[in-house]
Amino acid sequence: FMKVLVLGYGMLGEELVNQTGWDYRSIEEHGFDITKPDDWNEHLLGVEFGAVQYCPYDVIINCIANTDTYSKERDSHWNINYKGTSDLVDFCNKWGVKLVQISTDYVYAGGMPNQSEDDVPVHQDTWYSYTKLLSDAHVQLKSNDYLLLRLGHKQKPFPHPKAYSDIYGNFDYTDKISSIVIKMIKNNVSGLYNVGTEAKSMYDLAKQTNPDVLPTSQLVNHIPKCVLMDLKKFRNLSL
């Protein structure tokens, strides 16, 4: 029996919990702040025999991130996305816990389409992408046991009247991406994986749940037009 804890209760974290019943901690409900590692023990550790601390979890999934992709605010991205992950790696190594780090397809923005895990990501010109890329590297370098997942997930049903027809990726709705993540964890997959479904535009995805949605073109530069990834490694898994 695998004991799993989800950190963060945003769209992905909530769906993971809904599909599994796994434990979770969030800043809103529990006061769990990833930027304050000195306070983690009360959330992540138990006590047995009156005084001996232990971690009751086999796996910790980090869904916490500053996802304000257009923000020019450096420190919040740095402290949450990079430093918070770095501290979490140390915690998991100390207590023998596997870390599942949720990354993003945005790390491939600005590069060539269909990049693989072995290609060199070219980060988008935002603190979000940069700090997520830094945390990816730190997990790979320092974690003793990890699953690092680059993915994109969207709200279901599609909530807007228009959707971009010129933005492409392997993103999908949160319920579908969550079910994939859960299967990978339960099958004890480790390492770095690009995760997603077939290539599609945002408009293609939107039409699946909002038949009245209208196509539109991107008029701003801060949204990457292509975050398509090479999924061969993921598709070779037997899940």
Side-chain angles (χ1 to χ4, degrees):
F1 177 73
M2 185 183 294
K3 186 79 169 170
V4 181
L5 176 68
V6 178
L7 297 182
Y9 203 63
M11 199 158 52
L12 184 66
E14 182 177 5
E15 184 62 27
L16 290 171
V17 171
N18 286 343
Q19 290 190 25
T20 61
W22 286 336
D23 290 348
Y24 70 95
R25 296 290 184 276
S26 71
I27 192 167
E28 296 85 2
E29 192 169 340
H30 307 98
F32 180 86
D33 187 342
I34 200 167
T35 68
K36 297 179 179 178
D38 291 343
D39 298 338
W40 289 359
N41 286 6
E42 62 182 292
H43 296 283
L44 306 183
L45 297 180
V47 178
E48 59 183 357
F49 308 120
V52 180
Q53 286 186 318
Y54 74 103
C55 185
Y57 300 104
D58 304 297
V59 177
I60 291 178
I61 309 172
N62 182 24
C63 296
I64 297 173
N66 181 340
T67 58
D68 188 351
T69 55
Y70 322 133
S71 171
K72 302 298 183 184
E73 170 56 47
R74 171 191 181 276
D75 289 351
S76 177
H77 286 94
W78 185 268
N79 290 331
I80 295 172
N81 297 346
Y82 178 60
K83 188 176 183 302
T85 299
S86 172
D87 291 333
L88 191 56
V89 167
D90 292 343
F91 178 91
C92 289
N93 285 346
K94 178 179 179 180
W95 295 99
V97 177
K98 182 173 185 174
L99 172 63
V100 177
Q101 174 71 8
I102 303 299
S103 184
T104 173
D105 51 9
Y106 264 55
V107 300
Y108 293 117
M112 296 295 293
N114 299 309
Q115 293 190 82
S116 78
E117 295 87 347
D118 295 325
D119 289 320
V120 179
V122 180
H123 69 78
Q124 190 196 12
D125 190 19
T126 66
W127 284 115
Y128 169 65
S129 289
Y130 182 61
T131 52
K132 290 298 285 184
L133 186 58
L134 286 176
S135 67
D136 283 10
H138 189 88
V139 169
Q140 293 174 83
L141 183 65
K142 294 294 187 180
S143 175
N144 293 338
D145 188 6
Y146 69 89
L147 175 61
L148 176 57
L149 302 177
R150 290 173 175 164
L151 52 81
H153 61 93
K154 308 300 176 182
Q155 184 176 346
K156 182 180 182 180
F158 190 80
H160 308 294
K162 296 182 179 181
Y164 294 124
S165 59
D166 56 351
I167 290 180
Y168 293 88
N170 304 103
F171 39 68
D172 213 312
Y173 289 116
T174 303
D175 60 340
K176 187 175 287 188
I177 295 297
S178 294
S179 68
I180 294 171
V181 172
I182 291 163
K183 286 180 183 177
M184 295 181 77
I185 292 170
K186 289 185 174 180
N187 281 274
N188 200 30
V189 178
S190 296
L192 167 64
Y193 284 86
N194 297 333
V195 171
T197 54
E198 73 285 347
K200 66 188 76 65
S201 71
M202 191 69 72
Y203 175 64
D204 293 333
L205 180 67
K207 283 192 299 182
Q208 295 177 18
T209 57
N210 184 351
D212 298 323
V213 70
L214 298 174
T216 188
S217 296
Q218 181 193 179
L219 300 177
V220 293
N221 294 322
H222 57 234
I223 302 175
K225 285 199 171 186
C226 181
V227 285
L228 287 168
M229 303 180 290
D230 185 323
L231 299 179
K232 289 191 192 77
K233 184 178 178 183
F234 163 65
R235 286 172 175 159
N236 285 334
L237 289 172
S238 297
L239 297 176

PDB file of all heavy atoms in Angstrom, residues 132-150:
ATOM      1  N   LYS A 132      10.988  27.319 -13.322  1.00  0.00           N
ATOM      2  CA  LYS A 132      10.579  25.916 -13.458  1.00  0.00           C
ATOM      3  C   LYS A 132      11.699  25.097 -14.090  1.00  0.00           C
ATOM      4  O   LYS A 132      11.942  23.946 -13.689  1.00  0.00           O
ATOM      5  CB  LYS A 132       9.299  25.805 -14.291  1.00  0.00           C
ATOM      6  CG  LYS A 132       8.053  26.336 -13.602  1.00  0.00           C
ATOM      7  CD  LYS A 132       7.715  25.580 -12.320  1.00  0.00           C
ATOM      8  CE  LYS A 132       7.117  24.223 -12.611  1.00  0.00           C
ATOM      9  NZ  LYS A 132       6.695  23.517 -11.369  1.00  0.00           N
ATOM     10  N   LEU A 133      12.395  25.666 -15.052  1.00  0.00           N
ATOM     11  CA  LEU A 133      13.507  24.965 -15.678  1.00  0.00           C
ATOM     12  C   LEU A 133      14.646  24.752 -14.686  1.00  0.00           C
ATOM     13  O   LEU A 133      15.256  23.673 -14.637  1.00  0.00           O
ATOM     14  CB  LEU A 133      13.995  25.759 -16.891  1.00  0.00           C
ATOM     15  CG  LEU A 133      15.062  25.102 -17.768  1.00  0.00           C
ATOM     16  CD1 LEU A 133      14.580  23.770 -18.301  1.00  0.00           C
ATOM     17  CD2 LEU A 133      15.430  26.038 -18.917  1.00  0.00           C
ATOM     18  N   LEU A 134      14.922  25.757 -13.872  1.00  0.00           N
ATOM     19  CA  LEU A 134      15.946  25.612 -12.832  1.00  0.00           C
ATOM     20  C   LEU A 134      15.581  24.497 -11.851  1.00  0.00           C
ATOM     21  O   LEU A 134      16.438  23.695 -11.460  1.00  0.00           O
ATOM     22  CB  LEU A 134      16.131  26.925 -12.073  1.00  0.00           C
ATOM     23  CG  LEU A 134      16.853  28.061 -12.770  1.00  0.00           C
ATOM     24  CD1 LEU A 134      16.831  29.298 -11.892  1.00  0.00           C
ATOM     25  CD2 LEU A 134      18.285  27.676 -13.119  1.00  0.00           C
ATOM     26  N   SER A 135      14.329  24.445 -11.444  1.00  0.00           N
ATOM     27  CA  SER A 135      13.913  23.418 -10.485  1.00  0.00           C
ATOM     28  C   SER A 135      13.978  22.032 -11.108  1.00  0.00           C
ATOM     29  O   SER A 135      14.337  21.059 -10.441  1.00  0.00           O
ATOM     30  CB  SER A 135      12.506  23.707  -9.945  1.00  0.00           C
ATOM     31  OG  SER A 135      11.528  23.587 -10.949  1.00  0.00           O
ATOM     32  N   ASP A 136      13.665  21.926 -12.412  1.00  0.00           N
ATOM     33  CA  ASP A 136      13.810  20.644 -13.105  1.00  0.00           C
ATOM     34  C   ASP A 136      15.253  20.151 -13.003  1.00  0.00           C
ATOM     35  O   ASP A 136      15.508  18.974 -12.708  1.00  0.00           O
ATOM     36  CB  ASP A 136      13.458  20.783 -14.588  1.00  0.00           C
ATOM     37  CG  ASP A 136      11.959  20.842 -14.847  1.00  0.00           C
ATOM     38  OD1 ASP A 136      11.194  20.958 -13.870  1.00  0.00           O
ATOM     39  OD2 ASP A 136      11.568  20.783 -16.022  1.00  0.00           O
ATOM     40  N   ALA A 137      16.186  21.048 -13.286  1.00  0.00           N
ATOM     41  CA  ALA A 137      17.600  20.670 -13.253  1.00  0.00           C
ATOM     42  C   ALA A 137      18.021  20.267 -11.846  1.00  0.00           C
ATOM     43  O   ALA A 137      18.774  19.295 -11.664  1.00  0.00           O
ATOM     44  CB  ALA A 137      18.455  21.830 -13.756  1.00  0.00           C
ATOM     45  N   HIS A 138      17.538  20.984 -10.847  1.00  0.00           N
ATOM     46  CA  HIS A 138      17.923  20.670  -9.473  1.00  0.00           C
ATOM     47  C   HIS A 138      17.401  19.300  -9.052  1.00  0.00           C
ATOM     48  O   HIS A 138      18.118  18.529  -8.406  1.00  0.00           O
ATOM     49  CB  HIS A 138      17.387  21.747  -8.518  1.00  0.00           C
ATOM     50  CG  HIS A 138      17.908  21.617  -7.127  1.00  0.00           C
ATOM     51  ND1 HIS A 138      19.082  22.200  -6.714  1.00  0.00           N
ATOM     52  CD2 HIS A 138      17.435  20.930  -6.055  1.00  0.00           C
ATOM     53  CE1 HIS A 138      19.301  21.895  -5.451  1.00  0.00           C
ATOM     54  NE2 HIS A 138      18.316  21.127  -5.022  1.00  0.00           N
ATOM     55  N   VAL A 139      16.169  18.991  -9.414  1.00  0.00           N
ATOM     56  CA  VAL A 139      15.608  17.680  -9.090  1.00  0.00           C
ATOM     57  C   VAL A 139      16.457  16.575  -9.716  1.00  0.00           C
ATOM     58  O   VAL A 139      16.808  15.583  -9.065  1.00  0.00           O
ATOM     59  CB  VAL A 139      14.143  17.580  -9.572  1.00  0.00           C
ATOM     60  CG1 VAL A 139      13.643  16.139  -9.490  1.00  0.00           C
ATOM     61  CG2 VAL A 139      13.248  18.490  -8.741  1.00  0.00           C
ATOM     62  N   GLN A 140      16.805  16.736 -10.981  1.00  0.00           N
ATOM     63  CA  GLN A 140      17.591  15.720 -11.665  1.00  0.00           C
ATOM     64  C   GLN A 140      18.984  15.569 -11.059  1.00  0.00           C
ATOM     65  O   GLN A 140      19.536  14.470 -11.010  1.00  0.00           O
ATOM     66  CB  GLN A 140      17.717  16.067 -13.150  1.00  0.00           C
ATOM     67  CG  GLN A 140      16.403  15.994 -13.904  1.00  0.00           C
ATOM     68  CD  GLN A 140      16.545  16.478 -15.326  1.00  0.00           C
ATOM     69  OE1 GLN A 140      16.960  15.736 -16.206  1.00  0.00           O
ATOM     70  NE2 GLN A 140      16.207  17.736 -15.558  1.00  0.00           N
ATOM     71  N   LEU A 141      19.540  16.661 -10.600  1.00  0.00           N
ATOM     72  CA  LEU A 141      20.901  16.638 -10.064  1.00  0.00           C
ATOM     73  C   LEU A 141      20.968  16.124  -8.629  1.00  0.00           C
ATOM     74  O   LEU A 141      21.878  15.375  -8.267  1.00  0.00           O
ATOM     75  CB  LEU A 141      21.492  18.052 -10.125  1.00  0.00           C
ATOM     76  CG  LEU A 141      22.952  18.219  -9.676  1.00  0.00           C
ATOM     77  CD1 LEU A 141      23.889  17.469 -10.620  1.00  0.00           C
ATOM     78  CD2 LEU A 141      23.322  19.693  -9.615  1.00  0.00           C
ATOM     79  N   LYS A 142      19.980  16.477  -7.812  1.00  0.00           N
ATOM     80  CA  LYS A 142      20.106  16.269  -6.371  1.00  0.00           C
ATOM     81  C   LYS A 142      19.154  15.235  -5.766  1.00  0.00           C
ATOM     82  O   LYS A 142      19.441  14.700  -4.689  1.00  0.00           O
ATOM     83  CB  LYS A 142      19.875  17.605  -5.641  1.00  0.00           C
ATOM     84  CG  LYS A 142      20.935  18.657  -5.923  1.00  0.00           C
ATOM     85  CD  LYS A 142      22.293  18.255  -5.371  1.00  0.00           C
ATOM     86  CE  LYS A 142      23.299  19.388  -5.501  1.00  0.00           C
ATOM     87  NZ  LYS A 142      24.635  19.000  -4.959  1.00  0.00           N
ATOM     88  N   SER A 143      18.044  14.947  -6.427  1.00  0.00           N
ATOM     89  CA  SER A 143      17.074  14.038  -5.815  1.00  0.00           C
ATOM     90  C   SER A 143      17.538  12.593  -5.893  1.00  0.00           C
ATOM     91  O   SER A 143      18.037  12.137  -6.933  1.00  0.00           O
ATOM     92  CB  SER A 143      15.711  14.174  -6.507  1.00  0.00           C
ATOM     93  OG  SER A 143      14.800  13.227  -5.995  1.00  0.00           O
ATOM     94  N   ASN A 144      17.356  11.859  -4.804  1.00  0.00           N
ATOM     95  CA  ASN A 144      17.718  10.442  -4.771  1.00  0.00           C
ATOM     96  C   ASN A 144      16.673   9.556  -5.443  1.00  0.00           C
ATOM     97  O   ASN A 144      16.983   8.446  -5.869  1.00  0.00           O
ATOM     98  CB  ASN A 144      17.889   9.985  -3.319  1.00  0.00           C
ATOM     99  CG  ASN A 144      19.075  10.638  -2.648  1.00  0.00           C
ATOM    100  OD1 ASN A 144      20.004  11.106  -3.302  1.00  0.00           O
ATOM    101  ND2 ASN A 144      19.036  10.695  -1.321  1.00  0.00           N
ATOM    102  N   ASP A 145      15.441  10.035  -5.528  1.00  0.00           N
ATOM    103  CA  ASP A 145      14.347   9.218  -6.070  1.00  0.00           C
ATOM    104  C   ASP A 145      13.252  10.171  -6.536  1.00  0.00           C
ATOM    105  O   ASP A 145      12.599  10.813  -5.714  1.00  0.00           O
ATOM    106  CB  ASP A 145      13.817   8.273  -4.988  1.00  0.00           C
ATOM    107  CG  ASP A 145      12.822   7.250  -5.525  1.00  0.00           C
ATOM    108  OD1 ASP A 145      12.634   7.198  -6.750  1.00  0.00           O
ATOM    109  OD2 ASP A 145      12.239   6.520  -4.700  1.00  0.00           O
ATOM    110  N   TYR A 146      13.061  10.253  -7.865  1.00  0.00           N
ATOM    111  CA  TYR A 146      12.118  11.257  -8.360  1.00  0.00           C
ATOM    112  C   TYR A 146      11.417  10.799  -9.627  1.00  0.00           C
ATOM    113  O   TYR A 146      11.891   9.933 -10.373  1.00  0.00           O
ATOM    114  CB  TYR A 146      12.831  12.582  -8.645  1.00  0.00           C
ATOM    115  CG  TYR A 146      13.780  12.543  -9.825  1.00  0.00           C
ATOM    116  CD1 TYR A 146      13.330  12.826 -11.122  1.00  0.00           C
ATOM    117  CD2 TYR A 146      15.123  12.226  -9.655  1.00  0.00           C
ATOM    118  CE1 TYR A 146      14.188  12.776 -12.210  1.00  0.00           C
ATOM    119  CE2 TYR A 146      15.988  12.175 -10.729  1.00  0.00           C
ATOM    120  CZ  TYR A 146      15.519  12.458 -12.008  1.00  0.00           C
ATOM    121  OH  TYR A 146      16.369  12.408 -13.079  1.00  0.00           O
ATOM    122  N   LEU A 147      10.257  11.427  -9.861  1.00  0.00           N
ATOM    123  CA  LEU A 147       9.542  11.380 -11.118  1.00  0.00           C
ATOM    124  C   LEU A 147       9.243  12.827 -11.489  1.00  0.00           C
ATOM    125  O   LEU A 147       8.564  13.531 -10.735  1.00  0.00           O
ATOM    126  CB  LEU A 147       8.245  10.580 -10.987  1.00  0.00           C
ATOM    127  CG  LEU A 147       7.329  10.558 -12.218  1.00  0.00           C
ATOM    128  CD1 LEU A 147       8.031   9.934 -13.420  1.00  0.00           C
ATOM    129  CD2 LEU A 147       6.025   9.815 -11.910  1.00  0.00           C
ATOM    130  N   LEU A 148       9.773  13.269 -12.599  1.00  0.00           N
ATOM    131  CA  LEU A 148       9.664  14.665 -13.032  1.00  0.00           C
ATOM    132  C   LEU A 148       8.831  14.705 -14.308  1.00  0.00           C
ATOM    133  O   LEU A 148       9.195  14.100 -15.316  1.00  0.00           O
ATOM    134  CB  LEU A 148      11.063  15.236 -13.275  1.00  0.00           C
ATOM    135  CG  LEU A 148      11.215  16.641 -13.828  1.00  0.00           C
ATOM    136  CD1 LEU A 148      10.519  17.662 -12.952  1.00  0.00           C
ATOM    137  CD2 LEU A 148      12.697  16.990 -13.968  1.00  0.00           C
ATOM    138  N   LEU A 149       7.699  15.417 -14.258  1.00  0.00           N
ATOM    139  CA  LEU A 149       6.720  15.361 -15.334  1.00  0.00           C
ATOM    140  C   LEU A 149       6.496  16.737 -15.951  1.00  0.00           C
ATOM    141  O   LEU A 149       6.051  17.674 -15.275  1.00  0.00           O
ATOM    142  CB  LEU A 149       5.385  14.832 -14.793  1.00  0.00           C
ATOM    143  CG  LEU A 149       5.439  13.443 -14.146  1.00  0.00           C
ATOM    144  CD1 LEU A 149       4.076  13.066 -13.591  1.00  0.00           C
ATOM    145  CD2 LEU A 149       5.914  12.403 -15.153  1.00  0.00           C
ATOM    146  N   ARG A 150       6.814  16.847 -17.231  1.00  0.00           N
ATOM    147  CA  ARG A 150       6.548  18.068 -17.978  1.00  0.00           C
ATOM    148  C   ARG A 150       5.217  17.893 -18.702  1.00  0.00           C
ATOM    149  O   ARG A 150       5.068  16.984 -19.528  1.00  0.00           O
ATOM    150  CB  ARG A 150       7.687  18.348 -18.961  1.00  0.00           C
ATOM    151  CG  ARG A 150       8.972  18.758 -18.246  1.00  0.00           C
ATOM    152  CD  ARG A 150      10.150  18.879 -19.187  1.00  0.00           C
ATOM    153  NE  ARG A 150      11.315  19.386 -18.480  1.00  0.00           N
ATOM    154  CZ  ARG A 150      12.569  19.315 -18.931  1.00  0.00           C
ATOM    155  NH1 ARG A 150      12.820  18.736 -20.100  1.00  0.00           N
ATOM    156  NH2 ARG A 150      13.571  19.797 -18.225  1.00  0.00           N
TER     157      ARG A 150
END
